[in-house]
């Protein structure tokens, strides 16, 4: 049984940083698509960052490029999202998701393509 558990959310001021962690158990996930999504109140779930192809390739949504970094901590079976220079528009519930390697590159940020989800962790950025 695959389980996805996020941690590391919290409240910070503008310009601050947070590190989110996603632990995946119950599967060999090195070849999966591992992604972070976020959802703010009243908005659709948005893909933020994804790591894939043996955890070597990465993609980011334009709004976080240069500020967020996704990387694996293989020793801890963890996918990390390092978020720097946080802005109020980054406030949302952040979800980690795991998906099959069959997800086409065009759909890497499509939440419907992912099979396993964590419970979410709240990130709040105040000015």
């Amino acid at each position: 049984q695959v389980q996805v558990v996020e941690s590391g959310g919290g409240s910070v001021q503008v310009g601050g940083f947070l590190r989110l962690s996603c632990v995946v158990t119950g599967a060999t996930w090195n070849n999966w698509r591992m992604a972070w999504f976020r959802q703010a109140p009243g908005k659709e779930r948005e893909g933020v960052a994804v790591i894939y192809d043996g955890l070597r390739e990465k993609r980011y949504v334009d709004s976080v490029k240069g500020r967020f970094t996704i990387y694996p901590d293989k020793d801890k079976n963890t996918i990390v999202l390092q978020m720097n220079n946080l802005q109020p528009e980054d406030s949302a519930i952040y979800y980690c998701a795991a998906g099959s390697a069959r997800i086409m590159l065009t759909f890497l940020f499509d939440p419907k393509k992912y099979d396993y989800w964590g419970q979410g962790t709240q990130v709040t950025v105040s000015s």
Side-chain angles (χ1 to χ4, degrees), residues 109-125:
F109 283 152
D110 184 348
K112 298 187 295 296
K113 300 297 185 182
Y114 287 78
D115 299 314
Y116 303 101
W117 291 84
Q119 79 287 353
T121 185
Q122 178 71 49
V123 171
T124 303
V125 185

Side-chain angles (χ1 to χ4, degrees), residues 22 29-38 46-62 64-65 68-72 79-82 94-101 103-111 113-114 117:
C22 171
W29 50 271
N30 296 38
N31 289 321
W32 289 21
R33 284 36 170 140
M34 298 297 302
W36 286 95
F37 289 80
R38 64 186 180 188
E46 171 192 40
V48 174
V50 60
I51 189 167
Y52 60 103
D53 282 0
L55 305 179
R56 295 186 301 271
E57 300 295 326
K58 305 173 184 181
R59 284 191 186 179
Y60 301 91
V61 68
D62 285 347
V64 308
K65 285 180 180 177
F68 290 13
T69 303
I70 185 172
Y71 63 91
I79 296 292
V80 177
L81 184 67
Q82 177 69 41
Y94 282 70
Y95 297 91
C96 181
S100 161
I103 297 176
M104 295 175 63
L105 298 185
T106 306
F107 297 108
L108 286 176
F109 283 152
D110 184 348
K113 300 297 185 182
Y114 287 78
W117 291 84

Side-chain angles (χ1 to χ4, degrees), residues 16-33:
F17 66 91
L18 286 171
R19 179 178 299 171
L20 305 184
S21 295
C22 171
V23 178
V24 182
T25 59
T28 303
W29 50 271
N30 296 38
N31 289 321
W32 289 21
R33 284 36 170 140

